[in-house]
Amino acid sequence: MRQRDGMKKTIRPRTKPSDIRRQELMDAAAGLFIEQGVEATTIDAITARAEVAKGTFYHYFSTKNGILEALRAAFSQGFLDRVGAAVDTVPAGDHAARLRQWLVAGVTIYMAEYELHDVVFHQHGRRMQYRTEKNAIVGQLAGLLAAGARDGAWNARNPEFVAVVVYQGFHGAVDDAIERGLQDPAPIAAALFDLFSLMLRT
C-alpha cells in the first residue's frame, strides 16, 4: 500500500535503546541474585529472565562479576543522588536539619533496598563493601559535617573520621532494626540523629 501524501512513515526501532537493554539485564541479575544468591546465578539464567540472547549480555558485560560491579556502582550512586536531593531541600545554613534529612533519607532507602544491598556487597566480603561505599557515601557525609564545623554548628575536628563513625553507626543500627523486623524508618532516624547530635556537641 502506498503511503498517502503528507503522512510520515513511522519506523519502529528493531532493538531497544542501549541504556534500556543494559538496565533490563541489571534488573534481571538483581532479582536473581536476591532470590538465589550470586554464586548460584548463571549468565544463562540472567539472559533468560531478561529475554535476550547470551551474546547481548557480553555486549554490555564481560563476566558475571562485571554486572555485579555495575549493580554496586548503581546502588551507591542512586543512594548518593537521592540522599543528596533530600538534603538539598533544607537551607544550606541549617546544618542540624541537613544532617537529620541525610539520616531520614538514608535509613528509608536502606530499609527499602537492603536485600539488594546485602547481596551485591556483603556476599563478597565486608572489605569490598566498605571500600565501595566508604569512598563516596562517607565522603558525602564528611562534606556535610565539615560545613557544619566551619559554621560552628558542632565540633568535628576531623570530619572524615567522624563521618566514618556516623556511617558505621548508621549501618549497624539499620541492620539491627531489619533483623528485629522493624519497618518504620522514622524512629530509627530520630534516635540516630539524637545520638550523633550529642556526640558532635562534645
Side-chain angles (χ1 to χ4, degrees):
M1 181 181 294
R2 294 183 61 186
Q3 183 180 340
R4 293 183 181 179
D5 292 341
M7 293 181 63
K8 293 183 178 180
K9 184 178 180 181
T10 301
I11 301 175
R12 295 179 179 273
R14 296 180 63 186
T15 59
K16 293 182 180 180
S18 177
D19 56 338
I20 293 177
R21 182 66 78 193
R22 185 176 188 273
Q23 187 60 52
E24 287 179 344
L25 281 163
M26 290 174 63
D27 290 343
L32 288 165
F33 290 163
I34 291 170
E35 292 168 17
Q36 58 191 37
V38 175
E39 297 302 328
T41 298
T42 64
I43 291 174
D44 285 337
I46 295 170
T47 56
R49 177 163 292 192
E51 299 181 343
V52 299
K54 196 169 184 178
T56 302
F57 178 94
Y58 289 111
H59 177 74
Y60 297 100
F61 308 101
S62 58
T63 62
K64 184 173 67 173
N65 192 59
I67 201 168
L68 182 63
E69 291 287 353
L71 285 168
R72 288 185 182 124
F75 186 98
S76 293
Q77 191 59 54
F79 183 95
L80 284 168
D81 291 345
R82 286 179 285 172
V83 171
V87 170
D88 286 342
T89 64
V90 179
D94 194 345
H95 300 290
R98 287 170 70 84
L99 176 59
R100 182 188 295 110
Q101 194 75 343
W102 192 99
L103 290 166
V104 169
V107 172
T108 301
I109 294 167
Y110 188 26
M111 290 186 74
E113 301 180 7
Y114 74 92
E115 289 182 315
L116 177 59
H117 174 277
D118 287 356
V119 80
V120 299
F121 289 107
H122 289 193
Q123 283 196 11
H124 284 255
R126 294 193 63 82
R127 186 176 181 182
M128 172 64 75
Q129 172 232 348
Y130 183 75
R131 184 176 75 240
T132 302
E133 291 186 304
K134 173 181 177 294
N135 291 342
I137 297 174
V138 173
Q140 184 186 59
L141 257 177
L144 190 155
L145 294 169
R150 284 194 300 269
D151 289 350
W154 46 56
N155 180 20
R157 295 185 185 88
N158 187 338
E160 290 76 16
F161 176 78
V162 176
V164 171
V165 174
V166 171
Y167 171 76
Q168 297 290 13
F170 156 82
H171 242 298
V174 178
D175 284 341
D176 178 71
I178 291 168
E179 288 179 5
R180 290 191 288 131
L182 303 181
Q183 297 181 348
D184 185 359
I188 301 165
L192 286 170
F193 176 74
D194 290 344
L195 175 64
F196 295 145
S197 295
L198 180 63
M199 179 183 75
L200 288 165
R201 287 197 297 268
T202 59

